Amino acid sequence: LKAKPDSKPHHLRLFSESESWNLLQSRIYHKQDCPDELLEVGMPNSRSCRRLPQAIVAIAGVLERAYRTEDWWEQIA
């Protein structure tokens, strides 16, 4: 695939809060659910991405490789 400078842009829609959280959770934990102790801080991480799918994927990449502790996730948020 090559980008064409004269093509029309493809506008992505913003995700809902639940879609944002589901995407973040699935990128980090794949088929498992987020541990209960990280739910309270995990959801604000998905909200801080302003419902932008690319931002959610980027933050998920950071969180996936980071320490999975509440303190660390709060720093990322």
Side-chain angles (χ1 to χ4, degrees):
L1 239 202
K2 292 185 178 183
K4 297 178 184 176
D6 58 336
S7 66
K8 293 182 182 179
H10 179 75
H11 297 282
L12 297 175
R13 70 176 176 83
L14 297 176
F15 276 16
S16 68
E17 278 196 29
S18 64
E19 287 173 313
S20 298
W21 171 243
N22 288 337
L23 177 58
L24 183 76
Q25 184 175 223
S26 71
R27 295 295 295 211
I28 296 170
Y29 291 101
H30 308 284
K31 298 198 189 269
Q32 301 172 356
D33 288 334
C34 180
D36 290 341
E37 64 270 12
L38 296 177
L39 283 176
E40 282 187 43
V41 73
M43 288 185 181
N45 270 313
S46 69
R47 281 188 213 110
S48 69
C49 294
R50 307 278 193 257
R51 301 175 15 207
L52 297 166
Q54 288 177 314
I56 296 164
V57 170
I59 290 299
V62 171
L63 292 172
E64 183 178 32
R65 292 187 238 355
Y67 301 109
R68 293 183 186 169
T69 65
E70 188 175 346
D71 290 341
W72 182 249
W73 278 33
E74 284 177 356
Q75 286 181 0
I76 300 297

